[in-house]
Amino acid sequence: MAPAPPTTPDPIDGVDVIWREADGLQARIHRLPPGRRISGPVVIDVHGGAWSSRDRTLGQAYNREVAAAGLTVVAIDFRDGRQARHPAAVEDIAAAVEWVTGRDDLEADPDRIALIGSSSGGHLALHAALTAVPVAFVAAFWPPVDPLARYRYAISMVGRPVPDDNRLDAAGLVRSTEAYFGDEATMGRASIAEIVTSGRAAYRPPIWLVQAERDLNVPTEMLDELVSAYTSAGGRMERTRYPDEIHGFGHGDHPGAERFRRDLVHHLLAAIG
């Protein structure tokens, strides 16, 4: 019997490359072959992990779906609380945008770059897009947009019971927030609403905000505050609430997650496609 031919990785599963040689930071590129993808738009994914864990593979489920729609997705690693402190991750996101737009093989149109991010990655994507680098669109999924408020909330939740069908590692959130931000003053200045109301926002891209309505990790009040601050400042922000969903639901395999991924593709194609 002839040996089976070697398998070729599905390109939308992603190919890993080094995006910054100096510290070995990697990116995973998801895209269809030439002739089947849209030239110009690029989506840069900023992973979550409470500012101090996880990597570029976290968003695989929705990155594959976005790539299958014809968009190029670049999921990046960056310095987090395991290697550095704020604003290191924001600086790395801005540098990654520059890297993406400087690579001819990615066919990136600088005016059609979107940042997306889940959880703390959503916060970092927003921070970078408002203060460090202009982009055409931002999508932030279940993001803790006020690190200080979330830090104090997590402290208050340590030791309290969590329903079996939900998730909250309050003590872990306290540790990881301290690891990246260091102190409460730095956490406070990293609030996205405070960046807007203090006049520190250099850019105001359109934003899609995703809220899980049973999210024990991100109190709804901090999202309400951001929506109010951003729209009052003249920014465009759309919030979509997903009933009965919990933190991180978009990584799953159930009807709510599938709806979220369809919505994400729709928003990205409308914004940069």
Side-chain angles (χ1 to χ4, degrees), residues 3-78:
T7 58
T8 301
D10 186 332
I12 64 172
D13 284 338
V15 176
D16 289 330
V17 300
I18 300 292
W19 77 262
R20 190 162 67 199
E21 294 285 351
D23 41 17
L25 290 176
Q26 295 190 73
R28 177 163 292 189
I29 301 172
H30 307 259
R31 58 179 176 171
L32 292 171
R36 295 176 57 197
R37 62 178 181 254
I38 305 169
S39 177
V42 177
V43 179
I44 299 175
D45 175 39
V46 184
H47 69 79
W51 301 286
S52 296
S53 67
R54 309 304 291 261
D55 64 17
R56 65 197 176 283
T57 65
L58 179 61
Q60 185 92 343
Y62 47 77
N63 288 336
R64 292 185 79 260
E65 196 141 339
V66 172
L71 300 176
T72 295
V73 181
V74 180
I76 61 168
D77 287 342
F78 49 86

Side-chain angles (χ1 to χ4, degrees), residues 40-243:
V42 177
V43 179
I44 299 175
D45 175 39
V46 184
H47 69 79
W51 301 286
S52 296
S53 67
R54 309 304 291 261
D55 64 17
R56 65 197 176 283
T57 65
L58 179 61
Q60 185 92 343
Y62 47 77
N63 288 336
R64 292 185 79 260
E65 196 141 339
V66 172
L71 300 176
T72 295
V73 181
V74 180
I76 61 168
D77 287 342
F78 49 86
R79 292 171 296 162
D80 58 26
R82 293 169 289 188
Q83 304 94 6
R85 284 191 170 170
H86 186 72
V90 174
E91 295 168 350
D92 290 350
I93 295 164
V97 173
E98 182 177 353
W99 178 82
V100 163
T101 57
R103 281 184 64 111
D104 291 341
D105 62 322
L106 291 178
E107 305 173 316
D109 179 346
D111 295 324
R112 298 164 73 191
I113 303 294
L115 288 177
I116 67 174
S118 64
S119 195
S120 60
H123 165 266
L124 293 171
L126 289 167
H127 198 305
L130 268 62
T131 68
V133 62
V135 296
F137 180 70
V138 184
F141 322 140
W142 44 95
V145 293
D146 184 338
L148 177 57
R150 214 281 286 275
Y151 175 69
R152 291 175 174 171
Y153 163 76
I155 289 173
S156 75
M157 293 295 290
V158 172
R160 295 179 62 177
V162 176
D164 291 340
D165 63 343
N166 214 311
R167 63 169 71 96
L168 174 66
D169 176 10
L173 293 180
V174 172
R175 290 191 299 271
S176 58
T177 308
E178 291 173 344
Y180 179 65
F181 292 101
D183 56 58
E184 291 196 358
T186 304
M187 296 175 201
R189 282 183 56 80
S191 161
I192 306 303
E194 198 276 337
I195 288 170
V196 174
T197 58
S198 68
R200 292 189 290 127
Y203 314 103
R204 285 201 298 266
I207 295 170
W208 181 45
L209 187 65
V210 172
Q211 178 178 352
E213 290 204 326
R214 295 184 60 238
D215 193 340
L216 290 181
N217 289 256
V218 180
T220 189
E221 293 81 10
M222 72 172 65
L223 300 179
D224 294 342
E225 179 187 22
L226 174 58
V227 172
S228 176
Y230 202 68
T231 56
S232 295
R236 284 178 30 212
M237 178 177 287
E238 177 185 350
R239 171 166 49 173
T240 302
R241 296 177 173 89
Y242 291 81

